[in-house]
Amino acid sequence: MDAATRKQKLIELRSDERNVAMTGIPLRYKGETRTEKVYRIPLNFLIYNKYNGRIGSEVLSYEKQNGDLNAENPDDKSLIEKFLYDSKEDRNQTTMKSLLDNGQQRYGIVSSDGKIIDGNRRAMLLNRLFHKHEELGFSYQQVEKCQYFLAIILPDDAQEKDMQQLETIYQMGEDDKLDYNPIEKYLKCKELKKLGFSEEDIAGFMSEKTGKVKEWLRILELMEEYLQEYDYDGIYTRLEKTEGPFVDLAGYLDSYQKRGANVRNVDWDYQDSDISDLKLVCFDYIRARYEGKEFRDIAKTGKEGSIFFFKNLWDDFLANHQEKTPGDDETVQEWRENHPREDLSMLLRSRDNEWMKQAKGSLTGNLRRYSQKLDDKRASNRPADLIEQALNKLQSVDQDQDSFLSDPHIEEMVREINRISYEMKKRFERR
């Protein structure tokens, strides 16, 4: 069914009050709160939103290698359903049982020509229950109600920008946004920026602070640099289980570039090219799926510092990394030519796994060796850190407070501080 036919079907459906399931539903639309009706809509009047925020990374990665998906095409529709179902299989099983037992409890939103703005997952599960009921072991009577989707129908003037705003508010701005794969929120921010929304707008849609949205956009830029580095441009599925290290790395790089207070203990005058080297080294460790303390030892900022803080450590660590970390045996194009029938996302996973087998030993050994040297550096710097802390605390004491002179315990401690500092001073004189 094409868009014009779907639109006509929905016009006819709205003209019959027997299709109304709920009334008086508030909807924030174009800056105003409207009162809408929820209609009982046959599922075959609707199509999925292929760029649904829940499966954006899967769809974009698929389209990068295979061309655009058409939600009206039965084969592409089945693929979108697979992406939606696989995105949270356990949660989908629970929701299916609820739909079967209790019916649809939460209404959706659809455009005037039948594109599902909010509720793609629920619509997919209703379709699954109704069309596969025999395969799933249910009778027609059990699933008869599942052939309808309850939803608000948007007016004709709804533009792509309006629909994206509503999708974000009703999906990623609510509690169940935790259900989404981590990468999806980054891609949604980028998509909304392309449509002309400001960071402030996007933050409002997603119930987040503006600073958080700016941070997500910065992290996505770093993720996309990583994909380009390994010739994976646009294959966002290769970012699975990497969010934590990218969040850390984006913060580190920002601090080094701004030369903020948390990098003041760096013992050398690093340049932009050194920061670029650091980024590429960290990319290799992210590719090898390093995270946690091991990963942070490479670039961590703050009082404890990292390998990058110390020029002699960093130079040797970098030289060893560049010398011993292997490249890929074949380019992405060669992998594709040698495995023409394989899904590119799976193919690139195999390529990464092959590289990891060759690289993991040298990556692990080099990082372990220089993490130990870093611990030695930290230990050697501990007296200076403690003295600095003590000095800062003493300088913050308010000597004009009445208790400073009236409390005998304070006088005792001051005398003890004086004794210790005198002994330290004598040691310097004797050296």
Side-chain angles (χ1 to χ4, degrees):
M1 193 181 296
D2 61 21
T5 305
R6 291 194 306 273
K7 188 169 186 176
Q8 184 58 42
K9 291 285 187 184
L10 292 181
I11 290 172
E12 294 170 5
L13 182 141
R14 293 179 72 172
S15 67
D16 189 343
E17 286 297 314
R18 290 175 298 179
N19 295 316
V20 175
M22 302 167 67
T23 59
I25 304 300
L27 176 72
R28 188 71 178 168
Y29 179 72
K30 292 191 174 182
E32 298 179 354
T33 301
R34 304 161 55 108
T35 301
E36 298 288 347
K37 296 176 181 178
V38 170
Y39 294 90
R40 188 177 294 103
I41 308 169
L43 284 166
N44 62 344
F45 290 6
L46 305 173
I47 61 166
Y48 297 114
N49 170 18
K50 66 175 180 176
Y51 293 130
N52 172 260
R54 189 178 297 277
I55 56 171
S57 61
E58 290 282 356
V59 170
L60 289 169
S61 299
Y62 178 89
E63 290 189 330
K64 177 68 177 180
Q65 57 186 302
N66 299 294
D68 288 350
L69 284 169
N70 177 5
E72 294 177 350
N73 179 291
D75 290 337
D76 288 355
K77 173 188 172 185
S78 296
L79 189 56
I80 294 168
E81 289 179 328
K82 183 180 185 304
F83 288 150
L84 285 165
Y85 189 78
D86 291 347
S87 66
K88 284 289 177 182
E89 188 170 348
D90 290 347
R91 177 69 181 269
N92 285 332
Q93 290 282 355
T94 302
T95 306
M96 274 179 64
K97 185 177 186 307
S98 174
L99 289 169
L100 193 64
D101 294 344
N102 308 311
Q104 185 182 339
Q105 298 294 300
R106 180 175 158 185
Y107 58 85
I109 302 172
V110 304
S111 68
S112 61
D113 62 356
K115 180 189 285 186
I116 301 170
I117 308 305
D118 177 51
N120 281 267
R121 186 176 71 94
R122 276 161 283 150
M124 174 273 296
L125 294 173
L126 289 168
N127 263 313
R128 188 181 184 90
L129 284 166
F130 184 71
H131 293 292
K132 296 186 176 182
H133 65 274
E134 292 181 353
E135 180 183 329
L136 296 170
F138 302 122
S139 68
Y140 178 82
Q141 287 73 24
Q142 286 177 288
V143 301
E144 185 176 6
K145 61 180 176 291
C146 296
Q147 63 186 303
Y148 299 100
F149 183 62
L150 306 184
I152 294 170
I153 302 173
L154 294 181
D156 288 350
D157 64 351
Q159 303 297 312
E160 179 66 20
K161 194 172 180 180
D162 305 316
M163 293 188 283
Q164 288 286 352
Q165 177 178 346
L166 282 170
E167 181 199 345
T168 306
I169 291 170
Y170 279 85
Q171 292 182 4
M172 306 190 100
E174 298 187 354
D175 291 341
D176 64 358
K177 65 185 175 183
L178 298 176
D179 240 10
Y180 285 65
N181 293 325
I183 184 62
E184 308 303 346
K185 63 178 177 280
Y186 300 101
L187 294 174
K188 180 55 68 175
C189 288
K190 179 181 179 180
E191 188 176 6
L192 292 168
K193 278 285 287 182
K194 274 185 171 180
L195 288 169
F197 290 110
S198 68
E199 286 94 347
E200 291 78 9
D201 293 332
I202 300 167
F205 304 158
M206 301 177 98
S207 301
E208 293 286 354
K209 294 182 178 178
T210 301
K212 178 60 69 175
V213 170
K214 291 180 178 179
E215 178 188 351
W216 286 346
L217 289 167
R218 190 173 73 247
I219 291 168
L220 180 60
E221 285 183 12
L222 188 63
M223 290 174 167
E224 291 179 331
E225 282 186 56
Y226 167 86
L227 293 175
Q228 291 164 7
E229 176 64 23
Y230 301 108
D231 203 16
Y232 296 171
D233 189 22
I235 311 298
Y236 293 102
T237 49
R238 290 314 304 136
L239 296 171
E240 60 189 5
K241 299 181 181 177
T242 62
E243 182 188 25
F246 275 115
V247 171
D248 290 340
L249 181 57
Y252 302 154
L253 295 177
D254 187 56
S255 293
Y256 288 124
Q257 286 159 355
K258 293 178 178 176
R259 297 179 183 266
N262 58 349
V263 297
R264 64 182 178 181
N265 292 331
V266 175
D267 75 354
W268 60 296
D269 184 23
Y270 59 84
Q271 303 300 312
D272 288 346
S273 60
D274 299 307
I275 298 174
S276 180
D277 287 339
L278 174 64
K279 177 172 62 179
L280 294 179
V281 168
C282 289
F283 280 177
D284 279 344
Y285 278 90
I286 291 173
R287 189 183 184 193
R289 295 307 190 257
Y290 271 80
E291 56 185 336
K293 179 185 181 298
E294 287 183 308
F295 179 77
R296 291 192 287 271
D297 272 350
I298 302 171
K300 180 181 177 182
T301 58
K303 184 177 68 175
E304 288 191 342
S306 59
I307 294 169
F308 190 73
F309 267 44
F310 304 98
K311 181 171 175 56
N312 63 330
L313 289 188
W314 173 249
D315 285 347
D316 291 346
F317 176 78
L318 176 62
N320 274 293
H321 181 85
Q322 292 175 335
E323 177 187 349
K324 296 178 180 178
T325 304
D328 292 285
D329 291 337
E330 297 177 311
T331 65
V332 171
Q333 184 59 35
E334 288 169 339
W335 271 80
R336 296 192 73 171
E337 289 172 357
N338 293 333
H339 307 84
R341 296 186 179 181
E342 283 196 43
D343 173 77
L344 182 58
S345 294
M346 298 300 295
L347 197 62
L348 297 184
R349 179 180 296 173
S350 298
R351 182 178 188 249
D352 280 346
N353 288 339
E354 193 67 34
W355 175 82
M356 284 171 59
K357 287 178 186 176
Q358 300 178 47
K360 196 82 180 228
S362 61
L363 291 174
T364 300
N366 199 35
L367 183 53
R368 187 173 293 161
R369 188 178 310 114
Y370 283 90
S371 288
Q372 181 59 57
K373 292 185 178 186
L374 174 63
D375 286 342
D376 293 342
K377 283 278 190 183
R378 287 168 173 165
S380 68
N381 284 345
R382 208 153 285 147
D385 290 341
L386 292 172
I387 291 292
E388 183 179 3
Q389 290 175 31
L391 178 62
N392 290 337
K393 290 183 183 300
L394 285 171
Q395 289 173 335
S396 67
V397 172
D398 183 0
Q399 298 181 37
D400 294 327
Q401 288 274 355
D402 292 340
S403 62
F404 179 77
L405 295 175
S406 62
D407 187 341
H409 185 51
I410 291 179
E411 184 176 0
E412 290 175 14
M413 289 189 290
V414 169
R415 292 184 186 280
E416 181 64 14
I417 290 169
N418 185 59
R419 183 188 68 78
I420 293 171
S421 63
Y422 179 76
E423 289 179 357
M424 289 180 175
K425 178 174 174 291
K426 296 299 287 183
R427 291 200 65 176
F428 282 111
E429 292 173 352
R430 290 198 299 270
R431 64 180 174 174

